[in-house]
Amino acid sequence: MHIFVTGGAGFIGSQFIRDWAERFPEGHITNFDKLTYAGNLANLTAVEAHANYRFIRGDICDRNALLEAIPANVDAIVHFAAESDVDRSIAGAAEFVRTNVVGTQVLLDVARERGAKRFLHISTDEVGGTMGLGWFFEDSKLDPRSPYAASKTAAEQLVRAVGATFGMDYVITRTSNNYGPYQFPEKVLPLAICNALSGQPIPVYGDGLQIRDWVHVADNSKALQLALLQGKAGETYHIGGGTPQTNMEVLRTLLSMLYCHESLLKRVTDRLGHDRRYAVSYAKIERELGWHPEISFPTGLRSTIHWYRQNQEWVKAVRNGEYLNYYKAQYGLNLPAGQVV
Ligand code: NAD
Ligand code: DAU
């Protein structure tokens, strides 16, 4: 089986590639990634030597690059590539529309032309918007409220449109907040871990009572593999952790695991239009494909903290932009300095 992965140098995509390569050593994987600030080939050292793995640096908005990179009749396209950070989308939406909407459209066009047998599209629970009471199901109404969520909603609707119009085989997944190793420390959990480990304050937006549902990235990767291999064409599956908690609860648990004082938590101005609660139901994927999360939040958080403690070099390189030198040395790429967080 040959899979063509976009955005495989990011947090979730790299987990998926590492897991897939271990599970299917005979399978072929092409990783197509633009290497934005969020893409880091150091996340993939475990598979670099894999005979059937190849990396291509490219932009999903570039039709010619995709035409060249996607083999005819490829078995599946697994589409992670996106601008993924809500705060950045509030600061400027243009790159989100370009990559998440236009990039998805260009990728869909080329996928059809190349006769891709399946298109697995990775979406988010944020397309459902903020929930009052109750759960977000696969057939609930979509109500995106941030530029990021709006761009992801447009992307998944484009996938459905191509399925309905041209009969393309697709599966869409919507995941809640992922956490785990290799996550870029702009997202709240790795940011809080890294700041706490270096005694720096942890910003808490607004009252900190916003609710998020945390799923470990390794559990998500298993669900994505199932969706790809056994998901029914044209279906959408939600993937969640079943652990809805307020940000304050999560950060307090984190600090207690690190033996740090709560005075590290610093209230800051709230995110504009901050969604109050996400509550994704994963009942469908459990019922139809037999998936449920296996890693409890405390266990996953402990192991994530352990990973960040053990991988301070990775953290340092990511935080000061040094990882870009790695590309230069390895691939002769002359990349602009990445945004330092
Ligand atoms: P990430 O930001 O860590 O990685 C994104 C990857 O896409 C990077 O490697 C980047 O270089 C690449 N990329 C960006 N623009 C590109 C372009 N134009 N062409 C090719 N590659 C490009 O993101 P992530 O957290 O791993 O998320 C992966 C996917 O999962 C995204 O589609 C995101 O919307 C979705 N998602 C993420 C979460 C989460 O909690 N992280 C939850 C639900 C859904
Ligand atoms: O729900 C899935 C989504 O989860 C994904 O689709 C996105 O790609 C991913 O970035 C994530 O979005 P969030 O906005 O939920 O993640 P973030 O880590 O930015 O924020 C999580 C919560 O923590 C949110 O309520 C905002 C809050 N927060 C965030 C940061 C960065 C803080 O209180 N302080 C912070 O410094």
Side-chain angles (χ1 to χ4, degrees):
M1 185 167 181
H2 190 149
I3 60 167
F4 183 87
V5 179
T6 69
F11 165 51
I12 305 176
S14 63
Q15 173 83 37
F16 180 86
I17 288 180
R18 293 191 304 272
D19 293 348
W20 189 272
E22 194 180 329
R23 180 172 172 191
F24 301 109
E26 305 304 318
H28 290 254
I29 305 170
T30 301
N31 176 16
F32 185 90
D33 194 302
K34 184 180 172 185
L35 299 181
T36 66
Y37 77 94
N40 187 349
L41 292 177
N43 301 352
L44 290 156
T45 44
V47 296
E48 254 173 13
H50 194 290
N52 300 329
Y53 166 80
R54 69 177 180 144
F55 170 73
I56 298 173
R57 183 172 182 238
D59 185 336
I60 54 166
C61 299
D62 182 344
R63 178 183 147 76
N64 289 333
L66 284 171
L67 270 171
E68 212 172 287
I70 300 179
N73 302 318
V74 68
D75 291 296
I77 292 191
V78 185
H79 180 32
F80 293 98
E83 287 295 332
S84 69
D85 188 62
V86 175
D87 291 323
R88 287 177 193 257
S89 81
I90 294 167
E95 202 49 41
F96 286 72
V97 173
R98 183 186 172 277
T99 289
N100 301 0
V101 185
V102 177
T104 299
Q105 171 253 310
V106 175
L107 181 65
L108 284 164
D109 283 353
V110 179
R112 276 199 305 118
E113 277 179 61
R114 303 304 281 149
K117 295 191 188 107
R118 168 153 281 196
F119 192 99
L120 177 64
H121 180 73
I122 316 301
S123 191
T124 169
D125 64 350
E126 300 207 6
V127 299
T130 194
M131 305 285 296
L133 293 172
W135 296 91
F136 179 45
F137 296 103
E138 285 79 355
D139 56 358
S140 300
K141 84 171 166 72
L142 304 184
D143 186 22
R145 290 164 29 91
S146 72
Y148 163 70
S151 68
K152 293 295 290 184
T153 306
E156 63 168 79
Q157 296 293 48
L158 279 169
V159 176
R160 282 193 193 90
V162 169
T165 310
F166 302 104
M168 192 185 75
D169 179 308
Y170 72 87
V171 173
I172 294 172
T173 57
R174 295 190 188 128
T175 318
S176 63
N177 284 66
N178 278 230
Y179 71 102
Y182 299 101
Q183 188 169 27
F184 194 81
E186 63 182 349
K187 308 286 160 59
V188 74
L189 271 180
L191 176 78
I193 295 171
C194 295
N195 281 14
L197 287 176
S198 54
Q200 291 172 268
I202 298 166
V204 178
Y205 293 176
D207 61 10
L209 298 181
Q210 306 83 7
I211 295 176
R212 295 292 183 271
D213 171 38
W214 296 94
V215 62
H216 194 278
V217 66
D219 272 336
N220 182 30
S221 169
K222 282 188 186 162
L224 296 175
Q225 291 171 50
L226 259 183
L228 175 57
L229 295 169
Q230 292 172 40
K232 210 171 136 204
E235 292 293 324
T236 299
Y237 297 96
H238 285 181
I239 302 165
T243 60
Q245 296 168 79
T246 66
N247 292 337
M248 213 47 140
E249 283 171 309
V250 167
L251 293 172
R252 287 200 172 117
T253 306
L254 175 77
L255 288 177
S256 73
M257 287 179 178
L258 283 162
Y259 303 104
C260 286
H261 198 263
E262 284 186 16
S263 58
L264 276 184
L265 300 178
K266 291 282 179 261
R267 295 268 186 92
V268 298
T269 311
D270 206 354
R271 173 183 282 173
L272 291 175
H274 200 167
D275 283 346
R276 198 69 181 160
R277 172 175 178 257
Y278 299 140
V280 76
S281 162
Y282 63 82
K284 176 175 169 180
I285 192 169
E286 183 165 46
R287 192 173 61 243
E288 295 185 8
L289 303 182
W291 177 90
H292 56 85
E294 290 168 17
I295 303 172
S296 75
F297 185 69
T299 304
L301 188 56
R302 272 207 180 81
S303 66
T304 303
I305 291 171
H306 180 71
W307 187 88
Y308 279 90
R309 263 194 210 284
Q310 297 297 307
N311 288 276
Q312 285 294 303
E313 286 306 309
W314 182 92
V315 172
K316 215 176 101 207
V318 165
R319 283 198 140 180
N320 66 19
E322 263 173 31
Y323 68 110
L324 297 166
N325 294 333
Y326 173 86
Y327 302 151
K328 238 188 214 164
Q330 198 86 341
Y331 297 92
L333 303 176
N334 193 17
L335 293 170
Q339 186 147 357
V340 178
V341 289

